[in-house]
Amino acid sequence: MIRKDIDLFIKTIPQNITLVAATKYVDVEDLKELKNHGIVNFGENRVDSFLNKYKKLKDDKDIIWHFIGHLQRNKAKLVYDKIDFLHSLDSLELAKELDKLRKTPLNVFVEVSINLEENKNGVPYYELENFLTKLKEFKNINLVGLMMMSKKESNDKENQFAKLKILRDEIEQKLNIKIPYLSMGMSDDYLDAIREKATHIRLGRILFNL
């Protein structure tokens, strides 16, 4: 069930920020209700859950589907033609598979490991320039942004988000490319992310009475 004051909450988000509803723990009826309140960007973490919701809502052409969880290469064939944005590209092998499957370019965010946590996915920040240089080879991969997750137990989340923005700015200059979007910030830290120029925030729990 979505929060009762959802309309008031939405008004607190700057209009230039894309609110992606992370809908892992809710059902199709909740997605429909969110849509009634103007939220049309839905983000799923798991392939099976995404496919179940997509099947029921595929005729609704207003919905913009984001895959925000880790995508295994062998499951790319299940979602490649159904999602509008992938927020978690983290390997050239996955890029190669998506490039082969797609007939038109897929909008992707490259997931960056800013904090180098062993249990998290993402391209290590110090390898990002080389990764993006190689990514140019794939004509059906359209780089639109960078994505990150902050450390859960930390007091310097703004600083972590700032690092991604600085890294983005440096690589844009070095490689003479544009990376317009930054997908960063979740229910616990989205305000910090917005202060550090996030363009996309991935909100789950805070939208619902969970």
Side-chain angles (χ1 to χ4, degrees):
M1 183 183 295
I2 68 171
R3 57 191 289 169
K4 288 185 172 65
D5 63 343
I6 187 70
D7 293 319
L8 288 173
F9 176 77
I10 291 170
K11 287 179 181 177
T12 69
I13 307 297
Q15 289 189 344
N16 63 326
I17 305 292
T18 298
L19 193 171
V20 179
T23 52
K24 175 167 61 172
Y25 295 117
V26 299
D27 60 24
V28 167
E29 294 308 311
D30 290 305
L31 271 67
K32 289 179 179 177
E33 193 172 352
L34 284 175
K35 189 167 180 292
N36 289 338
H37 291 273
I39 295 176
V40 297
N41 290 274
F42 297 142
E44 281 290 320
N45 289 69
R46 296 173 181 150
V47 170
D48 54 351
S49 177
F50 164 72
L51 292 173
N52 177 53
K53 291 169 187 172
Y54 178 85
K55 182 179 179 181
K56 295 174 181 177
L57 295 171
K58 64 181 178 181
D59 293 331
D60 190 333
K61 302 306 180 185
D62 293 329
I63 293 175
I64 301 168
W65 292 104
H66 301 249
F67 195 84
I68 58 178
H70 179 65
L71 180 62
Q72 296 175 316
R73 187 179 58 173
N74 64 344
K75 292 193 174 181
K77 62 182 178 293
L78 300 175
V79 303
Y80 77 94
D81 57 347
K82 300 175 179 66
I83 57 176
D84 300 291
F85 290 88
L86 173 66
H87 285 241
S88 54
L89 182 66
D90 61 357
S91 75
L92 292 172
E93 290 78 14
L94 177 58
K96 183 178 180 180
E97 183 69 14
L98 289 166
D99 181 64
K100 182 176 70 175
L101 290 166
R102 292 278 302 195
K103 294 181 180 177
T104 57
L106 175 64
N107 296 316
V108 303
F109 292 75
V110 170
E111 182 173 0
V112 181
S113 177
I114 286 289
N115 299 303
L116 304 179
E117 295 177 88
E118 288 186 9
N119 61 335
K120 296 278 182 66
N121 298 302
V123 178
Y125 68 86
Y126 54 84
E127 293 180 4
L128 184 61
E129 183 180 339
N130 183 51
F131 184 90
L132 295 184
T133 299
K134 292 179 179 176
L135 200 64
K136 291 180 180 180
E137 299 172 12
F138 303 113
K139 61 180 174 51
N140 286 325
I141 299 294
N142 180 36
L143 174 68
V144 297
L146 305 177
M147 185 272 260
M148 69 166 285
M149 298 178 67
S150 66
K151 276 187 180 177
K152 280 191 175 181
E153 306 299 328
S154 63
N155 297 316
D156 68 336
K157 293 194 175 190
E158 270 191 71
N159 184 47
Q160 293 171 48
F161 295 137
K163 285 180 180 176
L164 187 67
K165 180 188 178 298
I166 291 167
L167 181 62
R168 187 274 305 271
D169 294 348
E170 289 175 349
I171 286 180
E172 279 189 331
Q173 195 165 19
K174 282 184 181 178
L175 299 184
N176 191 29
I177 59 175
K178 285 294 180 186
I179 310 173
Y181 299 147
L182 294 174
S183 173
M184 54 189 195
M186 298 165 68
S187 290
D188 291 333
D189 53 19
Y190 73 96
L191 291 174
D192 293 326
I194 288 173
R195 280 190 285 270
E196 295 303 332
K197 309 304 181 187
T199 63
H200 293 63
I201 54 176
R202 310 179 305 276
L203 302 187
R205 177 176 43 78
I206 202 168
L207 300 178
F208 307 100
N209 296 316
L210 295 176

